[in-house]
Amino acid sequence: MAECAPHLGGMNNTTSFARYREQLSGLHARLSVTHVGLDPEIHRVVDAISPWLMLADAQTRPRVMGLWGMTGTGKSSLVRALVRELGLEDRTFWLDAGECHDERWMDRMLECVAEHHNGSPFILVVDEFQHARTMRAGLEQEEPGELRRLWELMDAGRAVSEGGGRWGLTGLLDLHDNLSRALAQGVEVRNGRVVKGHAAHRMLFGARKKAVAAAEHWAIPPEHWDTLRDRFAHRTSLAALQRRFEQLDGPGLLDLVQDHLRSHHTPLVLDASKALVIVLGNLDGLYVTGRDPLPELDPDVLMHRHERIGLTGVQHELMQRFRVEQVARLGTDHVVFPPMGRDTIQALAQREVKALAERVGARMQARVEVSDPLVERIGREAAIAVLGARPVVDAVHQVVPGLLAQAFMDPAADGALQIRLELQGNWPVVVFHHPDRVVSVSLTWPLQRESRVVERERVERYAVHEAGHVLCGMLLSGALPLQACARTSSDSVGGFVIWADRTPTLTRAEVVPHLAQMLGGWVAERMAYGEEGVSSGSSSDLARASAMALDLVKENGFGTSRIFQTEHPEAPGRGFRTTLSDTEVQARTWIGEAEVLAIRTLQE
């Protein structure tokens, strides 16, 4: 969170307009240099912040903007760069929604803003907003009181801090009572120090040793000074507090403590009507279709999902996480950040490598270069799409220095004017260019990506299983697989297939082919390994296919009966209480037909 800085006056005067026009004119270009693959999103963020920057004083309620996307796509980094470029760091405050259960989560921020920016423009950034969810699986969650204060600030531009609350109150009460009793017992104070009644004062305040001299015997002992100075409206140093004490006698000190006690019980009302509230949230669930975000997900698969999500998808996801009135308070000014596709990963790797090579070259007084194929390999092997930019950046700063360190150990590095890292086949080499010769030295690859050890036979079984799904899906349903994977880092997921679109709304004629697609992995294992060789990994496919068949009959009117049937004849839920035998017969028939269709398709 920003340190409390002095109020700098209004933002929206003629001089400010001219300055902000100049800053905004080249802002997109400057941000694009450091944030690869985000040109449209940068444009949208700059366009959204410009009206607030110019006209905040005319606002009657806060402007709210949401930045959403996967983990590590540059949301927080872009906001920090934007604030820095606009020179607004002194009036920008950060909250982490993951800490919203702390009872003083907002108080420090509110006190800083009220001290310097009450009723004037400031920026509040709320990061990790996915942790502030109030809905889960359609049910309302218990909401911390701190979150209710944040929603009020975003909606009404008003926030209330209950003074100091309980924090420090006990110490203040004890200090007030002891000082009051000391004065009543004849203790005299001059210039903040006890000049008469030292023994009585030490007894009341529990001093364990005598003061060296009367001049050193403070009426308010130094161990209480932090309790007092943290409650001043303006932050103050210990030296300034001491100078203030030196101006007071006993009654004056008692009045000072009483003022602090009153401030503990006086609500602090913040006018945030001129604020810009930027909400940052990770919506990983939009991209992984209910699965845990596996590292093996291909970057371009995530990009394909992103292109079909749009603002409507984000609004739908927000409705799953927050109450309707809260989604309304978040407004419609949302920017959806894309996952990192392959092109962005390579561009990021190129940028990081170039910057690193320039720094190393300047230090070594030689030209350092890294070939494009080597950079491409770093990006390809390091990328974990679901984690965003950090794995790629970390890999660059692991591989390039690692290779250069090996290179500099070779005597051929001495006096080289150019040092170039390349790939020869799959092996890295360094080429030293001297005025009279060129020397090439082989290196070892320093990046070792951990992976789960899986026996070859098991990987082959996973491959057979997923190939069965792929073939049945393409040939029977016309589905398009974006990625088929037969090896993952998860102990619970052997393989997976990612389809271009989520499960569509089915017609009755499409039921059996779709069930055959779901059973394709199980059937493929039976064909390859026999009835006794089918693994337990097919259990989830069988369960999902059976559940879908039963639901289509009971709930969608695909059976012989057009009524909605309950789970059990005695169940108190929706629908008619009737026998389910006909339902199960119809569902069983579909499963049997789907199995035969999958077998015939894979045999052909």
Side-chain angles (χ1 to χ4, degrees):
M1 185 176 71
E3 292 295 325
C4 289
H7 179 50
L8 301 180
M11 294 169 57
N12 306 140
N13 52 47
T14 304
T15 304
S16 297
F17 282 144
R19 178 162 58 91
Y20 289 133
R21 277 198 302 270
E22 181 179 355
Q23 289 177 314
L24 290 169
S25 63
L27 183 57
H28 174 267
R30 296 194 298 273
L31 293 174
S32 295
V33 171
T34 54
H35 293 78
V36 178
L38 293 176
D39 280 4
E41 290 69 38
I42 293 173
H43 268 301
R44 290 200 58 193
V45 171
V46 172
D47 288 347
I49 200 173
S50 297
W52 173 82
L53 194 65
M54 296 290 189
L55 304 170
D57 282 338
Q59 287 182 186
T60 58
R61 53 182 307 211
R63 185 181 183 95
V64 180
M65 176 172 59
L67 275 55
W68 311 97
M70 290 195 69
T71 302
T73 50
K75 301 181 294 296
S76 301
S77 172
L78 180 62
V79 172
R80 291 186 188 278
L82 180 71
V83 167
R84 184 172 59 251
E85 288 285 345
L86 294 175
L88 297 175
E89 292 171 295
D90 66 307
R91 59 175 73 231
T92 299
F93 302 85
W94 288 72
L95 288 175
D96 184 341
E99 301 174 359
C100 64
H101 291 275
D102 186 337
E103 64 178 10
R104 284 185 54 82
W105 179 53
M106 290 186 64
D107 281 335
R108 170 66 175 161
M109 181 274 296
L110 292 177
E111 290 168 8
C112 285
V113 174
E115 183 176 346
H116 300 298
H117 307 295
N118 200 352
S120 66
F122 68 92
I123 298 176
L124 174 61
V125 185
V126 189
D127 207 352
E128 303 292 340
F129 201 70
Q130 70 275 8
H131 296 303
R133 68 184 305 164
T134 52
M135 298 289 293
R136 192 181 299 274
L139 301 175
E140 289 193 19
Q141 304 296 296
E142 183 177 353
E143 184 176 7
E146 292 298 285
L147 273 183
R148 289 193 291 273
R149 297 167 71 192
L150 176 63
W151 287 114
E152 182 183 10
L153 184 149
M154 289 194 292
D155 184 43
R158 178 179 181 273
V160 178
S161 175
E162 297 296 334
R166 298 179 181 178
W167 182 77
L169 180 58
T170 302
L172 276 178
L173 288 171
D174 290 344
L175 177 60
H176 176 271
D177 289 350
N178 289 336
L179 186 57
S180 178
R181 290 168 63 191
L183 297 178
Q185 293 180 22
V187 173
E188 294 183 9
V189 177
R190 187 181 305 123
N191 299 329
R193 297 174 176 86
V194 176
V195 295
K196 180 181 178 182
H198 298 86
H201 183 273
R202 283 195 295 270
M203 182 69 69
L204 287 167
F205 281 92
R208 295 185 179 180
K209 61 181 180 178
K210 294 182 179 180
V212 176
E216 301 296 329
H217 195 141
W218 292 95
I220 296 180
E223 59 264 29
H224 294 279
W225 288 11
D226 277 340
T227 301
L228 282 172
R229 72 181 184 132
D230 283 341
R231 295 308 308 154
F232 279 110
H234 297 278
R235 305 301 167 189
T236 186
S237 67
L238 286 174
L241 184 64
Q242 177 177 326
R243 289 194 295 271
R244 184 164 183 177
F245 286 167
E246 289 174 338
Q247 298 172 1
L248 300 174
D249 58 8
L253 288 173
L254 189 61
D255 288 342
L256 177 66
V257 175
Q258 288 174 338
D259 287 342
H260 279 68
L261 279 172
R262 281 192 292 271
S263 72
H264 256 275
H265 300 288
T266 302
L268 173 65
V269 181
L270 170 67
D271 175 7
S273 59
K274 316 301 182 188
L276 170 66
V277 181
I278 304 177
V279 173
L280 311 178
N282 298 333
L283 299 181
D284 296 337
L286 280 172
Y287 298 91
V288 298
T289 322
R291 287 188 187 274
D292 292 333
L294 296 169
E296 291 75 22
L297 281 170
D298 187 270
D300 288 342
V301 169
L302 298 178
M303 285 298 297
H304 181 93
R305 286 274 166 83
H306 175 76
E307 291 169 0
R308 283 159 173 73
I309 290 171
L311 183 57
T312 302
V314 169
Q315 290 281 16
H316 179 268
E317 186 72 10
L318 294 179
M319 291 290 288
Q320 309 305 309
R321 296 171 178 266
F322 304 102
R323 297 196 301 271
V324 173
E325 74 275 10
Q326 293 171 336
V327 176
R329 290 175 181 177
L330 290 173
T332 58
D333 201 357
H334 299 296
V335 181
V336 187
F337 280 54
M340 294 186 64
R342 290 190 181 278
D343 291 343
T344 301
I345 288 171
Q346 292 307 319
L348 176 63
Q350 286 282 3
R351 188 197 73 185
E352 291 293 319
V353 168
K354 181 180 178 181
L356 180 58
E358 289 177 352
R359 292 195 298 272
V360 173
R363 180 176 180 183
M364 301 302 298
Q365 296 184 339
R367 182 177 178 181
V368 177
E369 296 180 346
V370 183
S371 70
D372 289 344
L374 194 149
V375 176
E376 191 276 334
R377 179 177 174 182
I378 294 175
R380 183 180 67 250
E381 292 192 6
I384 302 177
V386 295
L387 298 182
R390 185 170 294 279
V392 179
V393 175
D394 289 347
V396 167
H397 290 271
Q398 179 181 349
V399 172
V400 176
L403 294 176
L404 289 173
Q406 295 178 52
F408 295 148
M409 291 296 293
D410 195 285
D414 297 339
L417 300 179
Q418 180 180 347
I419 303 169
R420 181 175 173 81
L421 298 176
E422 298 180 350
L423 279 182
Q424 290 183 0
N426 289 324
W427 297 101
V429 298
V430 59
V431 181
F432 298 108
H433 292 263
H434 294 267
D436 56 346
R437 70 188 191 281
V438 176
V439 181
S440 179
V441 179
S442 297
L443 306 172
T444 58
W445 189 251
L447 181 64
Q448 297 295 328
R449 183 166 173 176
E450 296 292 332
S451 60
R452 185 169 59 99
V453 177
V454 184
E455 300 86 351
R456 178 178 177 83
E457 293 76 10
R458 185 171 297 182
V459 174
E460 289 179 351
R461 180 182 293 277
Y462 293 154
V464 166
H465 185 102
E466 303 306 336
H469 286 307
V470 168
L471 289 169
C472 287
M474 294 179 68
L475 297 173
L476 298 176
S477 302
L480 176 64
L482 297 177
Q483 181 184 1
C485 179
R487 180 171 182 157
T488 77
S489 57
S490 171
D491 291 330
S492 60
V493 180
F496 60 84
V497 179
I498 301 293
W499 302 95
D501 296 301
R502 299 170 187 262
T503 302
T505 300
L506 298 174
T507 65
R508 188 182 177 92
E510 295 169 333
V511 169
V512 172
H514 190 77
L515 292 174
Q517 173 184 336
M518 299 174 72
L519 297 177
W522 173 60
V523 170
E525 285 194 46
R526 285 174 56 196
M527 293 176 61
Y529 304 106
E531 290 285 350
E532 300 301 319
V534 177
S535 71
S536 60
S538 299
S539 60
S540 61
D541 293 339
L542 297 174
R544 288 189 300 110
S546 299
M548 173 174 279
L550 286 167
D551 287 344
L552 289 172
V553 178
K554 294 188 298 180
E555 300 180 9
N556 297 98
F558 278 13
T560 55
S561 172
R562 298 296 183 260
I563 61 176
F564 190 106
Q565 303 187 55
T566 56
E567 294 292 332
H568 185 274
E570 302 300 325
R574 301 174 299 169
F576 292 86
R577 295 185 181 87
T578 182
T579 177
L580 298 183
S581 59
D582 292 342
T583 298
E584 294 180 352
V585 168
Q586 177 66 73
R588 188 182 299 112
T589 299
W590 281 341
I591 294 293
E593 292 174 356
E595 178 184 350
V596 171
L597 180 58
I599 292 173
R600 185 170 67 246
T601 301
L602 295 182
Q603 284 176 338
E604 292 175 354

